[in-house]
Amino acid sequence: SQRVGGAVVRSEPSDDPLSGGDYIKVGGGTVPRNLAGLIANQVSISAMHALSAPIISIGPSSVNQAVKGLAIARKSLEDMRQDLVFMPSFVHLSSEDLNAIQIDIARAPVVALESMDGMELRAAGTTEVKGLAGAVAKNARDSANSFITAVGANSVNQAIKAVAIARGYIEEEHVDLRCRASIEEIHEGELAGKSAVTLAVEPVAL
């Protein structure tokens, strides 16, 4: 296995959903910039729409670092006129008897988030994820994008869980969701000095 700033790339046979391929295990101590370099490298050599090694995260801090890494990776891919999308889902790691978030990553056509229209939503650490998932799913059924803003690890975790649940809500309607992440520093107000993560969630026909 290869350790990259706390991220571990492994390839091992198992009964897990990850069987048969590499994956990146991210922890709360993973350095997002190091993770971003690994993700950007994998995406840049992938074919369009091809899946790269998925991320596995357990717990809010881990999910938060993963999403920050994805946002930074998108930024670094801009110079190569490339982009990435990701799709979160729930998995059970039988080898560790733990539930986790799996984030599948794919190369995608370049899209500037400011060029996308959609409904703005907010996630907090206390957000009821099924309610947020319902709002995202409703937008998707209306062929509308959702923009979820979250500040802090717990908020980002709730946002990602909501997207994973929403994907399940619309699966039988042959619609899926693709996410793009961005980060902006907050310079004013009581949250000054913190980072706001925005998830642009786009419905796609299957």
Side-chain angles (χ1 to χ4, degrees):
S1 64
Q2 177 187 1
R3 182 172 293 273
V4 182
V8 178
V9 182
R10 294 177 179 167
S11 180
E12 56 189 25
S14 70
D15 295 328
D16 292 339
L18 310 173
S19 177
D22 291 344
Y23 65 94
I24 305 169
K25 188 172 183 182
V26 174
T30 296
V31 178
R33 193 163 297 278
N34 292 349
L35 173 62
L38 176 61
I39 294 170
N41 181 62
Q42 292 190 351
V43 170
S44 67
I45 62 176
S46 298
M48 187 65 72
H49 304 299
L51 293 176
S52 302
I55 290 173
I56 294 296
S57 295
I58 301 171
S61 295
S62 170
V63 171
N64 186 46
Q65 300 302 80
V67 173
K68 286 183 176 180
L70 287 161
I72 296 169
R74 284 193 68 237
K75 193 74 176 173
S76 66
L77 286 167
E78 285 181 359
D79 292 340
M80 293 180 279
R81 298 184 179 181
Q82 296 182 3
D83 203 350
L84 66 83
V85 293
F86 62 92
M87 297 70 69
S89 58
F90 297 101
V91 294
H92 181 75
L93 305 180
S94 58
S95 58
E96 302 178 48
D97 195 23
L98 290 172
N99 294 320
I101 296 288
Q102 176 172 323
I103 302 176
D104 291 304
I105 308 164
R107 184 178 166 190
V110 176
V111 173
L113 299 195
E114 54 269 22
S115 70
M116 297 173 65
D117 295 323
M119 179 175 291
E120 294 186 4
L121 303 168
R122 290 191 175 274
T126 56
T127 293
E128 205 285 310
V129 290
K130 289 186 178 180
L132 181 56
V136 172
K138 181 181 183 302
N139 289 342
R141 292 187 182 102
D142 294 336
S143 300
N145 303 317
S146 298
F147 292 89
I148 309 174
T149 301
V151 179
N154 289 329
S155 302
V156 172
N157 185 54
Q158 296 298 83
I160 289 293
K161 287 164 66 175
V163 174
I165 292 170
R167 292 181 70 201
Y169 286 167
I170 59 178
E171 183 178 10
E172 291 186 357
E173 299 164 50
H174 305 290
V175 179
D176 201 359
L177 300 172
R178 300 285 184 267
C179 300
R180 288 176 169 86
S182 65
I183 301 178
E184 289 187 13
E185 294 295 322
I186 301 173
H187 299 291
E188 298 179 352
E190 60 183 21
L191 297 177
K194 294 188 176 181
S195 299
V197 171
T198 298
L199 300 181
V201 186
E202 179 183 17
V204 293
L206 295 178

